[in-house]
Amino acid sequence: MYVLALLALVLALTGLSACSGSDERAATQNPGVVRVAGGLISGTEVDGVRAYLGIPYVAPPVGDLRWRPPQAPASWEGVRTCVRYGPSCPQPQGDGLSLFPLGETDEDCLYLNVWTPAGGATGGSDGAAEAAGDGAAGQGDDGAAGRTAAALPVMVWIHGGGFSTGSGSLDVYSGMDLARLGAVVITINYRLGPLGFLAHPELSREDPSGVSGNYGLLDQIAALRWVRDNVAAFGGDPENVTVFGESAGGMSICDLMVSPPAEGLFGRAIVQSAPFDSHGSRMEAVRPLDEAEAIGRELSRRLGGDEAPDELAALRAVPVGRLLRAAERTVPRGPGGLGFVPVVDGVVLPADPAALFAAGELHDVDLLVGANADEANLFLLGMRGATAAQLTTYVRRLYEPDDDTVLELFPDEQYGSRKAALSKAVTVMGFIAPARFAAASVAEAGGAAYLYHFARRPPAVGDLGAFHGLEIPYVFGNPVLVLDVTGGVDGELSRAMMRYWVSFARDGDPNAASGADEQGDAALPSWPAYDPETDRCLILDTEVEPAPAPYPEACDLADRLREERVLEASR
């Protein structure tokens, strides 16, 4: 039972399983009515936080809207009750990756969720309360309608899952505790896999921009535009938006930091464990448009669309389950691998994000970024039973033709076993080095950057250590199965991280949370701004402390290899 519970914890953290979204604490239904694009909505209130779940931010991307940019949502009459999560995007099921059902999935999946302090929802500025009748938000006993309190920072979460799985509606992402610290927290769904990232020559021809493939990123941009236009109704400041995300969510944020359509939609970013510059066997973070279109043609061939009189009409009529099965055969995903990914199309992504970061061609965005000490242990868990030779072959393929140079830095005897050494190599080269690179790029471009290294290895997770995704419960303050982040050492670390994260979102400086807080938590150590010359970070462990950034030699190697790749690609 312990092993199953632990495995469930691992998979839940990586966005592969979900719970019902219910809260067993007493909830007050319809505590506040606000007006958003589309009409009036109501939510629930629990312990001083209002939650609005399942808000449609664009039109359902179904039928003829499959593989089209997001469209404006339809309006509704009356007050829409937003107390349940909307469906998640369809994704692979029954492949051994999930111990729990994801919940309802549907192509009609473009919903978001909002948590705000009970005093935050204003009822809107256009008479939402009056339109809703007596008892609407802003007319209740909290006096929200006439409140003149300062607007709150906004934190928008983009979930991970390799661009193929996951949902913004998992309980581990509940924004309740972050909202209690004084932020409006929003989680979003976006299109995944072939629904979100299929390119095809015919799709490019029908698009006014002449490109295709980045529908998932366009969904994220549409959600940020919705936030800009609607968050004031929840007490949020549309001029103070921070995007934060993990894994593919963090990779998405790095893409948005160089995407022209996303410019100005957020001013700060928190990127957790994001290999946004990855390049290797089944680990391409982005693909050129021509390669992505070739994959799209192959998928169409598998589905018989290439023989239809109207290829796009035929593909849009394919049942989603059949589409997903064909996609998995067209672009197989290995452990930790990627399938359909964002596309360098010259419009949404003008070039490889890693090259743009290196050149300093970034939006004016401050950055908090880091990775975990044992990221790759999760992926090697998916290769249980593999021999040392098989694991070596897998890792060598990731880093060829420089695999000998990489593996020389991670000798077996230093890490205790071949598997441990390989895991550390992937962790450092694939996650820790990109985090340092991103921090250095922002700092050199004149922005503020803060680098962290999450090293907590709670006893509950055993030998898995600080694996990929483990920091997420600490960031949100939500316990997950065998991992309790509400008390003891882990509770202290979680509260410290939440204070740092919200402080950065509010002020652009995590150190604004350094003093003792109202709950009696002690003052926090000072977090040094990242400077490539001093190369220092904040260690997040049982002891939180600034220290030299780890693995400098390997990170320097990763920088050199990246520079060579970028230079070669530019020729």
Side-chain angles (χ1 to χ4, degrees):
M1 292 296 293
Y2 176 80
V3 173
L4 289 177
L6 178 56
L7 185 56
L9 165 66
V10 173
L11 298 178
L13 291 175
T14 53
L16 301 177
S17 62
C19 302
S20 65
S22 63
D23 194 312
E24 295 181 357
R25 292 171 291 186
T28 302
Q29 295 258 349
N30 305 321
V33 172
V34 297
R35 182 178 293 280
V36 298
L40 299 169
I41 64 171
S42 65
T44 60
E45 182 175 327
V46 179
D47 293 348
V49 175
R50 291 180 179 174
Y52 301 82
L53 309 180
I55 306 171
Y57 66 89
V58 293
V62 301
D64 191 53
L65 294 185
R66 180 189 276 184
W67 300 311
R68 293 189 190 275
Q71 306 295 309
S75 299
W76 55 85
E77 298 294 329
V79 179
R80 182 177 182 132
T81 302
C82 292
V83 298
R84 295 183 182 278
Y85 292 125
S88 300
C89 183
Q91 53 198 269
Q93 296 286 302
D95 56 3
L97 294 176
S98 178
L99 294 180
F100 298 113
L102 184 67
E104 181 184 2
T105 63
D106 196 285
E107 280 194 76
D108 178 7
C109 63
L110 298 183
Y111 296 87
L112 54 77
N113 315 295
V114 180
W115 291 265
T116 185
T122 66
S125 59
D126 57 358
E130 290 83 350
D134 292 340
Q139 301 298 313
D141 56 13
D142 60 4
R147 204 185 80 263
T148 58
L152 300 172
V154 181
M155 302 177 70
V156 181
W157 174 258
I158 303 178
H159 71 79
F163 298 107
S164 295
T165 63
S167 172
S169 302
L170 303 184
D171 277 0
V172 72
Y173 302 148
S174 167
M176 294 281 290
D177 288 319
L178 287 174
R180 288 193 184 94
L181 293 179
V184 177
V185 181
I186 299 171
T187 66
I188 69 170
N189 287 349
Y190 56 97
R191 281 174 281 182
L192 302 171
L195 295 170
F197 300 98
L198 176 74
H200 190 283
E202 293 300 317
L203 288 172
S204 297
R205 270 191 280 273
E206 79 170 10
D207 188 272
S209 298
V211 298
S212 59
N214 280 321
Y215 308 105
L217 289 182
L218 290 172
D219 293 342
Q220 296 169 11
I221 292 169
L224 289 170
R225 288 176 176 154
W226 186 97
V227 169
R228 177 195 61 195
D229 297 339
N230 294 278
V231 78
F234 303 94
D237 183 354
E239 301 299 322
N240 189 9
V241 175
T242 296
V243 286
F244 68 133
E246 182 265 351
S247 194
M251 296 166 73
S252 296
I253 292 169
C254 292
D255 294 346
L256 297 178
M257 288 175 66
V258 300
S259 174
E263 186 170 11
L265 293 177
F266 59 98
R268 299 180 182 118
I270 301 174
V271 173
Q272 302 166 205
S273 303
F276 77 102
D277 66 340
S278 60
H279 178 83
S281 175
R282 297 183 184 173
M283 281 293 291
E284 298 287 355
V286 294
R287 285 195 183 91
L289 179 60
D290 58 347
E291 291 184 15
E293 287 183 337
I295 291 172
R297 287 195 298 269
E298 172 60 18
L299 178 61
S300 179
R301 186 194 65 78
R302 287 178 180 271
L303 293 168
D306 59 331
E307 299 179 354
D310 186 333
E311 186 172 8
L312 290 187
L315 290 175
R316 286 181 168 125
V318 171
V320 69
R322 183 175 173 226
L323 173 67
L324 293 179
R325 290 189 294 273
E328 287 289 288
R329 294 192 298 272
T330 304
V331 191
R333 294 176 296 126
L338 301 171
F340 285 83
V341 295
V343 178
V344 178
D345 60 1
V347 177
V348 180
L349 285 182
D352 183 339
L356 295 173
F357 267 72
E361 298 178 19
L362 306 162
H363 302 327
D364 184 13
V365 172
D366 295 330
L367 178 67
L368 188 155
V369 61
N372 299 352
D374 306 301
E375 297 272 2
N377 283 355
L378 175 68
F379 310 128
L380 296 188
L381 180 70
M383 300 177 70
R384 286 173 295 170
T387 65
Q390 290 171 326
L391 292 174
T392 302
T393 298
Y394 167 71
V395 174
R396 283 189 177 279
R397 286 176 178 170
L398 290 179
Y399 299 111
E400 60 186 4
D402 305 294
D403 44 306
D404 284 334
T405 305
V406 170
L407 292 182
E408 284 175 3
L409 288 177
F410 301 94
D412 297 358
E413 56 271 18
Q414 181 175 344
Y415 295 99
S417 70
R418 185 63 166 167
K419 181 176 180 180
L422 294 171
S423 179
K424 189 61 67 175
V426 175
T427 293
V428 176
M429 301 297 291
F431 294 89
I432 294 174
R436 194 188 77 159
F437 165 58
S441 298
V442 169
E444 290 168 352
Y450 296 87
L451 179 66
Y452 73 83
H453 181 70
F454 182 87
R456 171 62 175 158
R457 298 176 173 93
V461 304
D463 293 339
L464 284 172
F467 61 85
H468 185 65
L470 181 64
E471 86 289 354
I472 295 173
Y474 294 85
V475 168
F476 284 90
N478 296 321
V480 179
L481 297 176
V482 298
L483 178 60
D484 183 5
V485 295
T486 63
V489 171
D490 293 298
E492 292 176 3
L493 178 58
S494 174
R495 289 190 296 275
M497 292 175 65
M498 287 192 289
R499 290 166 62 192
Y500 280 130
W501 263 234
V502 172
S503 176
F504 177 78
R506 183 181 61 245
D507 302 310
D509 181 357
N511 292 298
S514 60
D517 71 358
E518 296 177 356
Q519 284 69 44
D521 285 317
L524 298 176
S526 178
W527 189 335
Y530 186 75
D531 181 343
E533 294 298 320
T534 58
D535 194 25
R536 291 179 65 80
C537 71
L538 190 73
I539 303 295
L540 298 171
D541 202 342
T542 53
E543 296 293 332
V544 176
E545 57 185 354
Y551 309 105
E553 185 179 2
C555 290
D556 289 346
L557 171 62
D559 289 344
R560 291 195 298 272
L561 297 180
R562 185 187 310 106
E563 290 170 5
E564 293 172 3
R565 175 172 64 85
V566 169
L567 180 61
E568 180 65 26
S570 67
R571 290 174 179 167

